[in-house]
Amino acid sequence: MQTELSQTLGIEHAVFGFTPFPAVAAAISRAGGFGVLGAVRYTAPGELKRDLDWIEAHVDGRPYGLDVVMPAKKVEGVTEADVEAMIPEGHRQFVRDTLAQHGVPELAEGEASGWRITGWMEQVARSQLDVAFDYPIRLLANALGSPPADVIARAHDQDVLVAALAGSARHASKHRDAGIDIVVAQGYEAGGHTGEIASMVLTPEVVDAVAPLPVLAAGGIGSGQQVAAALALGAQGVWLGSLWLTTTEADLHSPALTRKLLAAGSGDTVRSRALTGKPARQLRTEWTDAWDDPDGPGTLPMPLQGLLVAEAVSRIQKYEVDPLLGTPVGQIVGRMTSERSVQAVFDDLTRGFERAVDRVNRIAGRSGQ
């Protein structure tokens, strides 16, 4: 699964794997792909440094990258406390009532509520970059469009390629004009924040819009046949995220959540604002249903929603409250039916890719050439 982009980066397969788990990122790179560590969960520079140290020690010299959530426009002087003060009391009460309805226990006194979605904040993202640029990362990806111009320039000065996710050809063209090196065309089927255009339509539109920039196809991809289809549509690789959640290297800290993922079908996800305030595909649960109910208060805009529900999500996950328990995941969850190692996933991808290419060659009358 070689392309010009994979050859530029020195990887065996044009498979880019986004994951919040350092062990998964390292395993993806060791398997011949390109592991990309998601940084949004890291609120302290020391935590990110610790995990990048670990990746460096376990990646066997293979290339890897980092994904941040950085807004293109900077807002001066806004602290997390300022944002917290903007959350209406009615929404806080709705959270309390929903948790009480399902009997979700409180956290122990003094116990931290787990990670908070603060990686969107300018100062947090920049502190992450100050750490990351001390490491030999080869790629910086941004999930909120093009990063600020000075960040792109800083990355290029250190020979780091910059990628940005796009849900439409219009967004992709803006990335090209901003100096982005790689556009990730993320279709409607994808887990997490995603747009409204399906991958089969979006990928060739983006390829045409930004040519000759390389494009990675994302959304609903979990087999070698789909990788072959993405390359046939003009992409130079694929960007996979959901597929790694049920690998043996992943650390979800929740056997109940793993069981739900393995049992879910492709129709068991919903594109909801319940988690962050922006449409994000995730498992459909009674939690997402409550927020999407027209009789409820409705979700708040990003980043208010993420801060509002951070403690609630931590409680739901800690106590594994099944009706409310969910996670961002794409429609490909229907293919995630067993726990496998990252290497086993790659073995399956390469075999499926070879079968698909052979099939097309036979149709084209090129068998044996």
Side-chain angles (χ1 to χ4, degrees):
M1 297 187 285
Q2 278 278 330
T3 65
E4 183 179 347
L5 178 60
S6 67
Q7 292 170 352
T8 297
L9 289 169
I11 58 177
E12 185 178 356
H13 305 300
V15 175
F16 294 71
F18 164 81
T19 174
F21 306 116
V24 176
I28 290 168
S29 291
R30 290 198 307 271
F34 192 99
V36 182
L37 180 67
V40 72
R41 294 171 181 252
Y42 296 94
T43 57
E47 296 171 354
L48 180 59
K49 183 179 186 306
R50 174 201 65 206
D51 283 354
L52 288 176
D53 282 340
W54 191 94
I55 289 176
E56 267 294 300
H58 292 84
V59 81
D60 293 347
R62 306 289 183 92
Y64 62 93
L66 190 74
D67 179 278
V68 297
V69 180
M70 173 175 276
K73 296 180 180 178
K74 184 175 181 178
V75 179
E76 298 282 1
V78 178
T79 67
E80 185 176 336
D82 295 331
V83 177
E84 285 269 14
M86 299 169 63
I87 298 174
E89 177 56 31
H91 282 74
R92 295 186 187 276
Q93 187 61 49
F94 181 76
V95 170
R96 290 191 289 267
D97 291 345
T98 304
L99 296 178
Q101 179 185 348
H102 291 274
V104 182
E106 298 276 356
L107 295 175
E109 185 176 352
E111 182 178 356
S113 62
W115 70 279
R116 295 168 64 78
I117 304 173
T118 57
W120 57 269
M121 296 181 71
E122 175 84 8
Q123 64 268 32
V124 175
R126 286 188 179 275
S127 69
Q128 293 168 349
L129 295 179
D130 288 340
V131 172
F133 283 134
D134 286 337
Y135 292 82
I137 61 171
R138 293 294 309 281
L139 176 71
L140 174 66
N142 190 40
L144 279 185
S146 303
D150 69 295
V151 172
I152 297 174
R154 184 180 179 187
H156 287 166
D157 286 344
Q158 298 195 208
D159 199 28
V160 175
L161 297 178
V162 182
L165 277 64
S168 71
R170 179 174 59 86
H171 292 154
S173 296
K174 288 183 177 181
H175 296 339
R176 177 203 57 207
D177 295 343
I180 295 298
D181 304 295
I182 302 168
V183 176
V184 181
Q186 181 167 277
Y188 173 81
E189 309 95 325
H193 295 131
T194 187
E196 299 180 346
I197 305 174
S199 299
M200 183 64 75
V201 174
L202 178 66
T203 301
E205 284 187 352
V206 171
V207 168
D208 291 343
V210 303
L213 284 186
V215 172
L216 301 178
I221 300 173
S223 71
Q225 293 91 328
Q226 290 169 307
V227 175
L231 300 190
L233 292 172
Q236 287 205 30
V238 293
W239 177 275
L240 309 182
S242 299
L243 195 63
W244 316 110
L245 289 173
T246 53
T247 57
T248 54
E249 291 90 346
D251 191 10
L252 287 177
H253 298 294
S254 174
L257 181 54
T258 298
R259 288 194 298 270
K260 290 189 76 170
L261 288 168
L262 295 175
S266 56
D268 291 329
T269 68
V270 63
R271 193 165 160 268
S272 170
R273 298 176 184 268
L275 185 61
T276 68
K278 283 185 175 291
R281 187 171 297 284
Q282 55 203 281
L283 281 180
R284 182 176 182 177
T285 66
E286 292 187 28
W287 178 256
T288 62
D289 286 349
W291 283 105
D292 295 338
D293 189 336
D295 294 331
T299 56
L300 297 170
M302 190 180 193
L304 301 181
Q305 183 72 14
L307 293 173
L308 169 66
V309 305
E311 180 178 335
V313 170
S314 292
R315 289 165 60 185
I316 292 167
Q317 291 176 344
K318 175 179 179 178
Y319 299 110
E320 297 190 310
V321 183
D322 195 83
L324 305 179
L325 187 62
T327 186
V329 69
Q331 292 179 332
I332 198 62
V333 70
R335 293 186 64 95
M336 296 156 51
T337 57
S338 64
E339 292 186 77
R340 301 178 294 167
S341 68
V342 167
Q343 183 61 61
V345 171
F346 266 89
D347 292 342
D348 183 62
L349 290 173
T350 54
R351 286 192 296 265
F353 180 82
E354 290 170 357
R355 288 194 299 268
V357 171
D358 288 344
R359 185 182 305 117
V360 172
N361 281 336
R362 287 196 301 273
I363 294 171
R366 296 172 180 166
S367 181
Q369 294 185 11

